[in-house]
Amino acid sequence: MHNLKASLLVGLAVLTLGLTGCQSNGHQSTASFKESSSRQSSSYSAKEPDAAVTASSSAKKEEAQTYRPKAAQTKSRQYVKSGNLRRSGQYTFDKVGTQLTLAKVSHPKTTIKSGQLTYKVTTVRLIKNTAKTAAAKRMAAQALNLAQIKSPYYTLQVKFTIYNQGKRDLATDGIQAIRLSRQHQLNAANQLSDASAGKTIPAKGKLATFATGLASEKTQPTMKTVKIKFAGAFADKKQVVKPTSWLKLTL
């Protein structure tokens, strides 16, 4: 249940948005997600925070990762070449032709505990993704299991750290769900990329990680809060930590 199969590597340029403790290898593109065989997810694999997605290994066509913004697109003070977006309005470009703009950011530093695990949410970001090329649209739509995607589209990114106070290593199932509203909920099978799922938190150790999900298309979402619920954790293929209750986060 915990052997996750990463099929879509993150793209969107180097949009690390300042999220640390995450890996940065892989191709780049426009939405950031992960396919999990254990959850029968067709989502995405995000190897680096705040990035877009590339086509999966089973994709019919591999899109070129060669986009370079024009000089006029980089003259603004808000342009960040490194992708390390920290303030609302800053933007960068990925290698397939998506402009990522930081729309909102908050640092709740909120914690919730279940068994020997404590989850600390440190950063929540809303990203506006604008496809500048047809390839960017195709890749994002494919990764999100959509026939097509409307640009701009918005992604929600959550950075969190899992602390293991116990005496044995635990494998986490990551995030069970993120509730954007009563009618809109993200999970592994529904447009949520969870870089933590399937990872091991060492005894007396921690795991700094993140997740990204599709928040809306065309129009910027208006929610001021979201709720997150973390899944259980396992040792020797047995669940030893139960899922958490819902944790409210402010944007």
Side-chain angles (χ1 to χ4, degrees), residues 173-246:
D173 255 358
I175 293 173
Q176 182 169 310
I178 295 178
R179 183 177 292 169
L180 305 182
S181 69
R182 291 182 180 179
Q183 296 78 30
H184 192 179
Q185 185 164 295
L186 305 174
N187 54 48
N190 182 34
Q191 300 165 353
L192 176 67
S193 164
D194 183 359
S196 71
K199 296 292 181 62
T200 298
I201 307 106
K204 303 299 181 180
K206 64 182 180 179
L207 172 68
T209 185
F210 67 100
T212 304
L214 180 66
S216 70
E217 296 178 69
K218 273 302 202 182
T219 304
Q220 180 171 330
T222 58
M223 72 271 190
K224 295 182 179 180
T225 62
V226 298
K227 291 183 177 181
I228 187 170
K229 185 175 186 178
F230 295 97
F234 298 76
D236 299 325
K237 299 183 179 181
K238 295 181 180 180
Q239 186 179 60
V240 294
V241 175
K242 296 180 179 180
T244 68
S245 57
W246 289 101

Side-chain angles (χ1 to χ4, degrees), residues 64-101:
Q65 309 269 315
T66 58
Y67 182 81
R68 295 291 182 274
K70 297 178 180 179
Q73 295 174 301
T74 63
K75 288 183 178 179
S76 170
R77 288 186 176 182
Q78 298 286 58
Y79 172 67
V80 181
K81 184 177 181 180
S82 69
N84 190 10
L85 307 182
R86 297 180 182 275
R87 298 186 302 274
S88 297
Q90 289 185 328
Y91 67 93
T92 192
F93 293 89
D94 74 359
K95 292 185 178 181
V96 76
T98 307
Q99 178 178 331
L100 292 84
T101 303

